[in-house]
């Protein structure tokens, strides 16, 4: 038996159980507005990429769910279920100090990825799960990339800022500040360069 656990932007997440442990199956569903061949190629590529990157990120010290199976014909990945809530949901009713701690950790995990030359590609607060012990996990690696340049890291941080602005407009200042502090605790001297690239990317977007 499987039940729908969550709906993503491009996938359906069902909860299931195997070997006595709770798992989820993430299935990338067909997008009716895409040409079938393009749709299949994208689903195939993102499924493969997500599997590789979930493991690679873990080796960099970023908590990610372990993958148990990939089905290339249904574009689905079976992985550990992380029992918790999206960081996004926490941001509504969390005291400042706890929200700061969580965002610092989010930034620290992004820093670990970037230090390992990996960008996430969709670093929003929906793709961070806070488990029942308060530990942060990062999911949704279908758009992640290796061999990241400063430009790619700048784009990643730009996406973080934009996500905070649109989803958490009332607490974005606090959240962004804590995220950047966490990020710079790992990236050190490199932080400035990525942050100024982030600003540059925003300016480019304004005038084009
Ligand atoms: N391993 C997991 N354990 C628990 N919840 C998950 C897991 N993976 C995804 N989710 C939940 O499902 C949502 C959608 O998954 P996600 O991988 O982000 O799909 P999409 O690529 O469609 O956005 C996530 O925001 C998260 O809340
Ligand atoms: Mg997602």
């Amino acid at each position: 038996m499987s039940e729908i656990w969550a709906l993503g932007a491009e996938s359906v997440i069902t909860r299931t159980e195997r070997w006595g442990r709770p798992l989820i199956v993430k299935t990338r569903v067909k997008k009716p507005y895409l040409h079938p061949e393009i749709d299949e190629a994208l689903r195939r590529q993102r499924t493969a990429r997500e599997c590789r990157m979930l493991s690679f990120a873990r080796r960099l010290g970023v908590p990610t769910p372990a993958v148990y199976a990939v089905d290339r014909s249904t574009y689905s990945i079976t992985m550990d279920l992380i029992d918790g809530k999206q960081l996004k949901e926490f941001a509504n009713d969390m005291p400042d100090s706890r929200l700061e701690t969580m965002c610092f950790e989010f930034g620290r995990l992004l820093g670990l990825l970037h230090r390992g030359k990996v960008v996430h590609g969709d670093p929003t607060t929906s793709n961070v799960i806070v488990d029942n012990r308060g530990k942060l996990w990062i999911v949704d690696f279908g758009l992640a990339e290796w061999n990241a340049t400063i430009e790619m890291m700048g784009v990643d941080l730009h996406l973080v800022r934009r996500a905070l602005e649109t989803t958490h407009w009332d607490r974005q200042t606090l959240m962004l500040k804590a995220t950047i502090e966490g990020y710079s605790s790992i990236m050190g001297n490199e932080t400035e360069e990525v942050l100024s690239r982030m600003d540059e990317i925003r300016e480019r977007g304004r005038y084009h």
Side-chain angles (χ1 to χ4, degrees):
M1 263 299 284
S2 56
E3 64 190 77
I4 294 197
W5 175 262
L7 290 174
E10 54 165 343
S11 62
V12 177
I13 315 282
T14 55
R15 183 194 191 283
T16 173
E17 216 158 275
R18 240 173 268 178
W19 312 294
R21 71 193 285 161
L23 300 174
I24 63 116
V25 181
K26 171 173 178 173
T27 305
R28 288 190 156 77
V29 291
K30 186 169 166 45
K31 292 206 175 96
Y33 52 87
L34 286 180
H35 186 283
E37 275 173 33
I38 295 175
D39 181 64
E40 278 168 30
L42 281 177
R43 287 194 284 161
R44 188 177 328 113
Q45 188 199 35
R46 290 181 183 168
T47 302
R49 184 176 294 235
E50 176 147 60
C51 280
R52 279 198 301 269
M53 297 313 251
L54 280 167
S55 327
F56 194 74
R58 189 165 337 105
R59 274 181 263 148
L60 297 173
V62 176
T64 60
V67 172
Y68 294 100
V70 189
D71 186 333
R72 287 173 211 285
S73 61
T74 55
Y75 312 98
S76 64
I77 305 174
T78 304
M79 62 182 113
D80 267 332
L81 182 148
I82 311 299
D83 205 1
K85 281 204 292 187
Q86 296 175 347
L87 176 58
K88 181 181 174 175
E89 302 167 65
F90 273 100
N92 299 327
D93 47 31
M94 178 74 47
D96 282 1
S97 62
R98 274 208 72 198
L99 187 58
E100 269 165 2
T101 308
M102 284 183 185
C103 289
F104 183 95
E105 178 63 5
F106 174 39
R108 205 183 67 80
L109 298 179
L110 280 173
L112 288 175
L113 286 178
H114 287 193
R115 192 175 68 183
K117 299 268 175 283
V118 168
V119 285
H120 182 277
D122 189 18
T124 66
T125 48
S126 318
N127 290 331
V128 180
I129 304 174
V130 184
D131 75 14
N132 304 329
R133 297 173 172 175
K135 176 174 170 177
L136 270 65
W137 300 73
I138 312 273
V139 298
D140 205 358
F141 280 81
L143 297 174
E145 284 184 86
W146 264 310
N147 297 324
T149 57
I150 295 291
E151 170 76 14
M152 291 157 81
M153 297 178 199
V155 170
D156 232 21
L157 288 195
H158 170 70
L159 294 173
V160 169
R161 176 159 68 184
R162 223 177 49 183
L164 295 180
E165 283 167 354
T166 53
T167 326
H168 308 287
W169 56 272
D170 53 337
R171 303 187 87 183
Q172 56 169 291
T173 311
L174 172 153
M175 291 176 79
L176 185 64
K177 184 166 175 279
T179 305
I180 289 173
E181 277 166 13
Y183 183 80
S184 77
S185 76
I186 299 292
M187 291 291 277
N189 295 336
E190 274 188 88
T191 309
E192 278 311 310
E193 199 184 351
V194 185
L195 287 182
S196 52
R197 190 62 73 99
M198 168 182 82
D199 288 336
E200 202 185 303
I201 289 160
R202 159 142 46 200
E203 289 309 311
R204 267 188 239 155
R206 282 209 173 120
Y207 299 108
H208 293 283

